[in-house]
Amino acid sequence: MRQGYDFDVAIVGGGPAGSTCATLLKKWSPSLRVTVLERESFPRDHVGESLLPPTSQILEEMGCWDLIEAANFPIKIGATYRWGKSPERWDFEFIQGEKFVDEPRPANFRGQRRQTAFQVDRSIYDKILLDHAGSIGVEVREKTKVVKVNREGDALTGLETESGEVVRAAHYVDASGNSGIIRRALDIECRYPSTLRNIAIYDYWQNAQWAVRIGVGGTRIQVLSLGYGWIWFIPIGPTRTSIGLVVPVEYFKQAGLDRKEMYERAITEEPMVAALLQGATSEGRLQATRDWSFLADRHAGENWFLIGECSGFADPILSAGVTMAHIGGRQAAYTILEILRGEPEPQWLKSQFESRQKQRIETHIRFADYWYTANEQFKDLKSFTSQLAKDIGLEMEPDKAWRWIATGGFINEDLNIGIGGYSLDAIRDSAEFLTELASKSPLEKNNRFKLDIEGSSMREFGVYVNGRVQRARCFFRGDRVLPITGEIDLLLRILQKESKLASIMAALTSIAQNNAANPALVNIVWSAPPALEAMIYDGWVKASYDPKLPLGKIARHGTGFRWNRDRRTK
C-alpha cells in the first residue's frame, strides 16, 4: 500500500460495477488494500435483472460463475419481442432454442453456456458478488454512507462517512449508481443526447408462469409494445418474476392515473401477461424510477474513475445496463492496476478507459433511440417518435436509416462486431420486424473487396487481458478505430494478397482446416466474415460487384431471429 493512505483503492457503491472492480483488483494484485463503501445493507432489491452474454465471461474471470450458476437463476437464451412494424411476436436468441442441449445444473462455463446469459434477482445476485469480493480480501463496509467528498482541484483527498471517519486512498472509484456521489462532488456535467424521457413502474410477482421453457432452466424475457409504452416480463428465479411498465413522462402526466392505476391497467390490457399471472401474487412493492439516457462529460481524472450508472445510462430496452457496469468495472480495475505498477503513461491509460466508456454508452443510447423510432406500434407516440427522429437527423427511408445506424461504428473492441452488443446478423435480421431496412449483407451483394486505409494513421490502443492493459496497434481515421488484432488482423493479411470473395473465403477455410486443433484460432476464422462486413460499413474496405465473378453465400453462426406466430404460453 502507498504511504499516507488507508487504502490503495476506495470504491463508493457495492453493486455489480463496484464489486467487479474490487474483485479484479484483488484477483490480479492480492497485496492491494481495497475497500467498498456501500450505504445499504445487502440484500436489497434493484431493477435491471436481464444480462447479456459478455457478462458471463467476466463472472468467470472474477471467480463468480459457479456461485451465480449455483443460485439457479433462469438461463437467458434471448428475448421475445412484440415490437416494430407488426403486432406479431418474434424471437431473438443468443443460441437457438432447438440447439440448446439439456444438461444438468449447475453447469460449467463452457460450450453453449458461453453464448447465454442470466436473468437475475438483483437482491441475490448483487449480494453474491459483494460477498465474494469480501471473501478474497476486499474490505467491504455495508451501511456506510459517504456524505462528503474532499478534494484539492481535480484530486480527491478523502471520503467522509456519516460516522465522521475520513477514508483516504490513492485512487477512488465512483460506482454509486444514479447517486453519482463523486461525480456530483466534482461538478461533472452530463449530456442528455436523446429526447427519450421515460419512467419505469415495476413490481415483483410470485408464482407467475414462464412464457416459455427451454431445456433445463432456459427461457426468454418478454418485451411487449403497447400503444403508449412497453412491458417487460422477466423471470428472475424459479418462482419470482419482475414485471415493469415503461412510458414517456409526458404521457404519464397527461393520463390522469397514479402509478398503481397505470401499472394495473397495462397488466390487464396485455392478454399474454394477464394469462401468465393467473394464480400469481404481487409482492405489493410497486416502485418507479426515472428512465432516461445520459452521459457524463468526464469519466476519469487525477485519481478517480466513474463506472456503472453514475457514468451514463442507456434506456433499458436493450438490457445492457448491468453488462456495461461489469465491463466498466473491469476496465477501471485494469487501468488502476497498471498505474499502481508504475506505467509511465497514466494519461494514456485513462484516455483509453474514458474513450471506451463514452463509445460504449453512446452506442447503446443511439441504438435504443433507433428501436423507439422503429416501433410503429406506439400509435399514441407518433409525434414523439417523429420528433425523436428529427432531433437525431433520422429519416426513416431504408438507406438513410441504415446509414444512421452505421455512424457509430460497427467495430467495438469490448462488445465485438456489431452495435451495442448486438451482432451484425442480429441488427440486419431485426430489420424484418422493425422497419423496411435493407437487410442484405454486402458480402452477398459484392464479390470484390479492396483494403482502404488511405488517410489513416497508426496508433496504439489498449487491450484488456489477464489483469494487464496491453498495447496493440490500430489504424485510426476520424472517429473510426481498426484494431489490428484477432479476426481483423487475419483479414488484413489476407486482403493484402486477395480481393476476390471466393479467394478470401478459401484462405479462411484453409486456415481453419490446418489449425483444427486450435479452437481459439478456428473461432477467429468463423467470426471473420462479420468482421469483414464491419470493415466495409466502417470504411476500411471498399466492396464492389464484378459480373464476371460469382456471388457468394455466407453461412451465419450464432444468433437467430424468427416469427413467434406458432408459439403458445406454456
Side-chain angles (χ1 to χ4, degrees):
M1 185 173 66
R2 299 174 68 179
Q3 285 187 329
Y5 299 109
D6 305 313
F7 298 93
D8 293 295
V9 186
I11 301 169
V12 184
S19 293
T20 299
C21 186
T23 297
L24 294 180
L25 284 166
K26 288 294 288 186
K27 171 178 179 172
W28 297 113
S29 185
S31 64
L32 289 183
R33 190 167 183 208
V34 181
T35 186
V36 173
L37 309 178
E38 169 55 52
R39 70 181 179 185
E40 297 186 43
S41 178
F42 284 18
R44 55 90 178 95
D45 279 320
H46 200 289
V47 73
E49 299 102 346
S50 182
L51 313 185
L52 297 176
T55 302
S56 298
Q57 179 69 56
I58 297 175
L59 292 173
E60 175 75 359
E61 181 182 352
M62 292 168 63
C64 292
W65 166 271
D66 290 342
L67 298 172
I68 298 301
E69 173 67 5
N72 200 28
F73 295 124
I75 302 169
K76 182 179 177 183
I77 307 298
T80 295
Y81 290 94
R82 188 179 66 232
W83 194 277
K85 64 183 183 180
S86 168
E88 298 282 356
R89 286 183 290 140
W90 49 278
D91 298 335
F92 162 61
E93 298 178 318
F94 304 134
I95 176 172
Q96 291 182 4
E98 66 269 17
K99 295 181 180 179
F100 186 74
V101 179
D102 279 353
E103 60 181 357
R105 298 186 71 186
N108 294 324
F109 180 65
R110 65 187 181 193
Q112 64 183 3
R113 295 304 302 279
R114 288 180 170 271
Q115 298 174 255
T116 62
F118 292 100
Q119 296 165 199
V120 299
D121 185 326
R122 288 285 300 277
S123 66
I124 301 172
Y125 182 78
D126 290 9
K127 182 170 174 56
I128 290 173
L129 299 184
L130 191 59
D131 287 351
H132 176 69
S135 74
I136 64 171
V138 175
E139 186 172 312
V140 175
R141 301 186 184 183
E142 296 181 67
K143 301 181 72 172
T144 302
K145 183 178 180 180
V146 174
V147 295
K148 184 180 179 183
V149 177
N150 298 329
R151 55 180 289 202
E152 292 179 2
D154 193 52
L156 304 190
T157 58
L159 303 173
E160 187 172 330
T161 70
E162 204 167 31
S163 68
E165 178 189 9
V166 177
V167 176
R168 296 177 177 86
H171 296 275
Y172 301 85
V173 178
D174 190 347
S176 62
N178 57 21
S179 298
I181 302 296
I182 291 175
R183 187 196 75 215
R184 294 178 191 275
L186 289 167
D187 296 320
I188 296 171
E189 294 186 0
C190 296
R191 294 187 292 111
Y192 297 85
S194 170
T195 58
L196 286 172
R197 296 289 186 273
N198 295 334
I199 62 167
I201 308 168
Y202 59 97
D203 198 354
Y204 298 94
W205 294 72
Q206 288 291 335
N207 299 315
Q209 300 177 61
W210 288 12
V212 62
R213 293 183 181 272
I214 303 169
V216 179
T219 188
R220 288 187 296 270
I221 68 170
Q222 306 292 308
V223 176
L224 305 168
S225 172
L226 305 170
Y228 51 87
W230 60 275
I231 289 176
W232 78 65
F233 182 96
I234 306 175
I236 57 176
T239 64
R240 199 178 194 214
T241 299
S242 171
I243 304 176
L245 169 67
V246 178
V247 296
V249 171
E250 287 304 313
Y251 180 85
F252 176 72
K253 290 178 179 178
Q254 295 169 10
L257 302 175
D258 63 25
R259 295 182 304 180
K260 187 173 185 294
E261 290 169 337
M262 179 163 285
Y263 181 81
E264 291 178 346
R265 186 188 74 173
I267 297 296
T268 302
E269 289 179 347
E270 172 43 57
M272 190 184 85
V273 172
L276 293 171
L277 290 180
Q278 288 185 7
T281 305
S282 166
E283 293 184 4
R285 307 168 76 174
L286 192 72
Q287 301 174 66
T289 182
R290 78 174 195 173
D291 188 27
W292 53 79
S293 302
F294 75 91
L295 179 66
D297 285 346
R298 299 179 65 202
H299 297 252
E302 184 68 26
N303 63 343
W304 55 267
F305 297 83
L306 308 183
I307 59 176
E309 191 176 327
C310 75
S311 64
F313 176 79
D315 188 275
I317 187 66
L318 301 177
S319 301
V322 177
T323 299
M324 289 198 291
H326 278 292
I327 294 172
R330 178 177 183 265
Q331 293 183 355
Y334 278 42
T335 303
I336 293 169
L337 286 165
E338 293 290 19
I339 293 172
L340 291 174
R341 291 185 187 111
E343 159 64 44
E345 296 184 66
Q347 288 307 121
W348 178 81
L349 288 164
K350 293 175 185 176
S351 69
Q352 287 293 304
F353 169 79
E354 184 163 81
S355 65
R356 301 280 264 275
Q357 284 265 101
K358 287 182 176 179
Q359 182 195 39
R360 189 162 53 243
I361 298 168
E362 284 182 318
T363 297
H364 278 86
I365 291 172
R366 181 170 50 83
F367 200 31
D369 281 355
Y370 161 67
W371 275 66
Y372 275 92
T373 58
N375 189 356
E376 296 180 10
Q377 299 308 305
F378 276 24
K379 297 180 177 64
D380 293 349
L381 303 180
K382 286 185 178 179
S383 60
F384 168 77
T385 53
S386 296
Q387 183 61 41
L388 174 60
K390 181 179 178 182
D391 289 348
I392 57 182
L394 173 61
E395 298 178 52
M396 290 309 291
E397 287 87 352
D399 291 342
K400 291 184 179 180
W402 181 259
R403 282 202 298 273
W404 173 72
I405 294 174
T407 56
F410 281 108
I411 299 172
N412 185 293
E413 309 91 272
D414 305 322
L415 292 167
N416 301 317
I417 302 300
I419 290 183
Y422 287 70
S423 71
L424 278 175
D425 282 351
I427 296 166
R428 183 173 44 251
D429 288 352
S430 68
E432 178 182 352
F433 310 102
L434 296 176
T435 70
E436 300 299 333
L437 285 177
S439 60
K440 204 168 189 179
S441 165
L443 303 186
E444 297 172 309
K445 298 187 293 183
N446 301 283
N447 49 24
R448 279 195 181 274
F449 303 93
K450 181 181 178 181
L451 188 64
D452 179 15
I453 57 174
E454 185 177 349
S456 65
S457 58
M458 186 74 74
R459 297 188 185 181
E460 289 184 324
F461 81 107
V463 178
Y464 300 82
V465 180
N466 295 331
R468 303 304 302 260
V469 184
Q470 299 176 355
R471 292 172 181 259
R473 296 178 305 153
C474 70
F475 289 109
F476 186 89
R477 182 169 58 199
D479 62 351
R480 294 290 183 272
V481 176
L482 185 69
I484 308 175
T485 58
E487 57 267 51
I488 292 175
D489 183 26
L490 184 64
L491 286 168
L492 286 172
R493 287 187 272 120
I494 293 174
L495 288 167
Q496 289 172 357
K497 300 177 182 178
E498 308 289 352
S499 63
K500 300 176 184 177
L501 179 60
S503 300
I504 294 169
M505 298 308 296
L508 290 170
T509 300
S510 176
I511 292 170
Q513 291 173 344
N514 293 333
N515 295 274
N518 184 345
L521 182 55
V522 172
N523 286 335
I524 288 174
V525 170
W526 283 122
S527 59
L532 176 58
E533 186 174 346
M535 291 170 72
I536 295 168
Y537 286 129
D538 279 7
W540 299 107
V541 170
K542 291 183 177 178
S544 61
Y545 171 66
D546 184 343
K548 298 178 182 179
L549 298 174
L551 289 170
K553 180 66 176 176
I554 307 299
R556 298 185 182 184
H557 299 265
T559 59
F561 281 81
R562 55 188 170 181
W563 288 113
N564 201 328
R565 289 192 182 99
D566 298 326
R567 297 183 181 275
R568 297 288 185 269
T569 298
K570 54 185 178 181

